């Protein structure tokens, strides 16, 4: 191979693989569609294999493209790690970190920060609780360096997956479905969802309301404009509507007047560490991301406790488990 591909070329390939559409991928990466197309052609010529099947309306990856994608992703992640390390050196070891989360994430944050201090001294960590609106706004306007939250997140924010969780429906404890072990979305079709603030990002609202439902029906919302999980659960307990929540919230936030019931056909959610894409990260955040990436790698390699006999992981992400080493 005469030359290696640039990380920008690989980033464009990854964007196309995510979007499967040249126009959407180009807009996401702030390049023109012809420039994106030329970049993919250049990669194909460089590697000597076709990467994209252009015979359909969707930009489907070829078998070779799918095989090479994990390697391209690994190179980009390595470049990101190097860039973070350079920023750390350039900032001269600044040790302040401003992080936000829901209240329910505090047990996991405590363990994260303890390991961060054990490995890298005692960085100054400022914390604040954020709601469903602030989790985006506080990152984009610079009030916070990172948040622990749930996806999906909008453009302009980078994320690192911390863990995957099943989702439950929160019902009033007097509802006929509240005593069941599980329900389906069809059984919940006629129940309104407690309304979200109009400032909540639309993709996030639609995901957390399961809107539309699998049969295409739109969700009916109540008139409320809620931004916090606590308020949502309070409205559910008063019989105003239902709300979908994560497994960790179910485990960490038991409340009177409600029941949490598994939903058989509700896709899982992903807990994330999120930070702004356009601003340098403080060293403490770089270290925290390394710790979380090591945990993810250890989990993928089977180094964490195997699932229990009931199919439930012996240790969930918010319990974090032991350290992965210095």
């Amino acid at each position: 191979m005469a030359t290696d591909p640039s990380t920008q070329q690989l980033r464009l390939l990854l964007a196309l693989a995510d979007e499967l559409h040249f126009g959407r991928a180009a807009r996401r990466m702030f390049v023109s569609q012809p420039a994106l197309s030329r970049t993919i052609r250049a990669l194909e010529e460089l590697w000597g294999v076709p990467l994209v099947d252009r015979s359909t309306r969707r930009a489907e990856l070829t078998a070779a493209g799918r095989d090479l994608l994990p390697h391209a992703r690994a190179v980009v992640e390595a470049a990101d790690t190097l860039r973070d390390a350079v920023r750390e050196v350039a900032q001269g070891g600044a040790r302040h970190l401003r992080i936000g989360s829901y209240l329910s994430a505090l047990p996991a944050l405590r363990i994260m920060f303890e390991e961060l201090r054990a490995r890298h001294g005692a960085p100054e960590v400022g914390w604040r609780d954020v709601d469903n609106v602030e989790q985006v706004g506080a990152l984009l306007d610079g009030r916070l360096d990172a948040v622990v939250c749930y996806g999906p997140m909008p453009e302009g924010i980078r994320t690192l997956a911390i863990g995957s969780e099943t989702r439950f429906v929160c019902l009033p404890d007097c509802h006929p479905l509240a005593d069941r072990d599980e329900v389906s979305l069809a059984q919940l079709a006629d129940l309104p969802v407690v309304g979200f603030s109009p400032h909540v990002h639309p993709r996030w609202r639609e995901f957390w309301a399961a809107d539309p439902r699998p049969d295409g029906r739109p969700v009916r919302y109540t008139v409320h404009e809620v931004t916090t999980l606590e308020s949502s659960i309070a409205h559910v307990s008063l019989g105003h509507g239902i709300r979908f929540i994560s497994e960790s919230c179910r485990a960490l936030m038991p409340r009177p007047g409600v029941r949490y019931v598994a939903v058989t056909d509700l896709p899982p959610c992903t807990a994330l560490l999120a930070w702004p894409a356009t601003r340098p990260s403080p060293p403490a955040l770089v270290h925290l991301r390394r710790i979380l990436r090591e945990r993810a790698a250890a989990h993928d390699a089977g180094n964490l406790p195997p699932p229990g006999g009931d199919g439930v992981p012996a240790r969930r992400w918010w319990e974090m488990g032991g350290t992965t080493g210095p």
Side-chain angles (χ1 to χ4, degrees), residues 113-131:
F113 294 159
E114 286 177 354
E115 183 164 349
L116 182 62
R117 294 185 185 102
R119 294 198 194 188
H120 304 287
E124 180 184 350
V125 179
W127 173 85
R128 62 173 289 180
D129 63 311
V130 295
D131 60 27

Side-chain angles (χ1 to χ4, degrees), residues 180-212:
R180 298 197 178 191
D181 293 330
E182 57 185 31
V183 295
S184 68
L185 286 172
Q187 291 173 295
L188 304 170
D190 295 328
L191 300 178
V193 172
V194 174
F196 295 81
S197 163
H199 301 294
V200 169
H201 193 274
R203 285 182 58 214
W204 197 92
R205 181 190 65 240
E206 291 162 4
F207 178 84
W208 284 99
D211 185 10

Side-chain angles (χ1 to χ4, degrees), residues 164-168 208 245-248 250 262-263 266-269 318:
S164 180
E165 302 181 38
T166 55
R167 286 190 286 168
F168 292 72
W208 284 99
I245 68 161
S246 68
E247 182 185 4
S248 62
R250 169 180 176 263
V263 185
L266 193 62
C269 61
W318 60 90

Side-chain angles (χ1 to χ4, degrees), residues 30-87:
F30 301 101
V31 299
S32 69
Q33 186 169 333
L36 173 61
S37 182
R38 288 194 298 270
T39 297
I40 301 302
R41 290 285 190 194
L43 276 176
E44 291 175 323
E45 293 175 4
L46 178 64
W47 288 340
V49 293
L51 300 174
V52 180
D53 182 358
R54 299 171 175 82
S55 63
T56 64
R57 294 182 63 184
R58 286 165 55 90
E60 299 281 358
L61 293 185
T62 63
R66 292 192 296 271
D67 288 343
L68 293 171
L69 195 64
H71 303 288
R73 196 178 305 278
V75 171
V76 170
E77 290 176 353
D80 289 342
T81 299
L82 175 60
R83 182 190 59 209
D84 289 341
V86 171
R87 285 175 175 171

